[in-house]
Amino acid sequence: MLRGVPIVLLVLACAGAPRESTAPAPPGQRTIAGMYSYMADAATFTRCDTGALVPVAMEGESIALEREYLAAAHEPGAPVFVTVQGRFETRPPMEGEPREHLIVDKFDAIWPDEVCEKLGVETPLQNTYWKLVELNGAPVRPREGQREVHLMLPLEGPGVRGFAGCNTFAGACVVDGDAIRFEEVVATLMACDHMEEESAFLTALNTVTGYRILGETLVLSGAGGRVARLRAVYF
């Protein structure tokens, strides 16, 4: 779960540049987690709290959610874990009896590889091996014979260390609540193929200002939004 937050309501503390609004929240609005799917011009949402499958009303920021889903989904119609700010209301369907619909007031985030069952998992930021799976919106996979890019924040000190794709690196790390900052990061000086990929990762670390953990996923964010997505690996 997001640390210290009940599973059902999931009041998320967003890292990085917060989204602010002076308008009052609609009655019943809260942050909701579930599995979203879109196919044949229709969207559905399976609630994590009850397991109920409900249609998604085509209003509010449902279009933003649909757009992010289409960019992230691997197969048409495949369910993807999402968090949204919204509410449930009874609405008349195209046919049949009125039923509960999800109203997406604000799109929050898509969490590929997560599922409802992982909401009870509390993965610590420190002393976890975090494998890089996405950088600047693009998937990251090790090349043949290459070690995976990863980072760790050891318990024994306020630092970070890891592997950037060719070289190992280490530096300082300052964590304050949901804010995080990497400083004085230095790497060894081996030359390898695809050095631009390593450079992009190390440059991205310098832009990070916040983090969020949900289940076994760590998202690092900066002023412009998500910078990197990492997954916990257990040995």
Side-chain angles (χ1 to χ4, degrees):
M1 66 168 68
L2 283 165
R3 354 225 131 135
V5 180
I7 292 176
V8 176
L9 293 187
L10 278 176
V11 182
L12 304 180
C14 184
R19 305 175 185 180
E20 299 181 354
S21 174
T22 57
Q29 185 191 84
R30 61 190 190 275
T31 301
I32 301 167
M35 304 300 293
Y36 174 90
S37 178
Y38 180 86
M39 178 176 277
D41 297 327
T44 57
F45 183 84
T46 302
R47 300 178 56 164
C48 282
D49 54 355
T50 67
L53 177 68
V54 301
V56 179
M58 294 294 103
E59 59 184 82
E61 289 200 1
S62 64
I63 297 301
L65 174 55
E66 175 188 326
R67 182 172 58 248
E68 293 292 330
Y69 168 83
L70 293 174
H74 300 290
E75 298 179 6
V80 175
F81 189 95
V82 303
T83 49
V84 300
Q85 304 254 340
R87 55 209 150 89
F88 296 101
E89 291 186 1
T90 300
R91 296 287 180 86
M94 295 295 292
E95 56 183 39
E97 296 295 322
R99 60 179 298 191
E100 184 180 66
H101 284 61
L102 170 65
I103 314 299
V104 180
D105 294 306
K106 187 177 293 186
F107 167 69
D108 179 56
I110 281 184
W111 303 83
D113 304 320
E114 290 300 339
V115 292
C116 289
E117 291 75 12
K118 292 292 182 68
L119 285 177
V121 175
E122 294 192 44
T123 308
L125 174 66
Q126 290 182 294
N127 209 35
T128 295
Y129 181 107
W130 293 108
K131 176 181 71 173
L132 182 69
V133 295
E134 178 188 293
L135 182 66
N136 297 323
V140 173
R141 299 179 182 87
R143 296 178 181 273
E144 185 176 356
Q146 181 190 41
R147 293 170 57 196
E148 60 194 15
V149 178
H150 67 273
L151 62 80
M152 292 186 68
L153 281 69
L155 285 174
E156 60 269 19
V160 61
R161 57 182 171 84
F163 178 71
C166 176
N167 291 279
T168 57
F169 68 91
C173 179
V174 179
V175 179
D176 182 10
D178 291 329
I180 188 170
R181 191 171 69 252
F182 300 104
E183 300 176 337
E184 302 174 357
V185 175
V186 295
T188 54
L189 300 176
M190 288 182 57
C192 306
D193 294 334
H194 314 295
M195 289 295 293
E196 68 279 2
E197 297 172 5
E198 174 171 293
S199 178
F201 173 64
L202 294 175
T203 298
L205 286 183
N206 290 325
T207 70
V208 170
T209 57
Y211 79 96
R212 294 170 67 179
I213 296 175
L214 190 150
E216 296 173 341
T217 298
L218 166 65
V219 169
L220 300 176
S221 61
R226 187 170 67 199
V227 173
R229 182 167 56 89
L230 303 96
R231 293 281 294 167
V233 176
Y234 304 100
F235 297 95

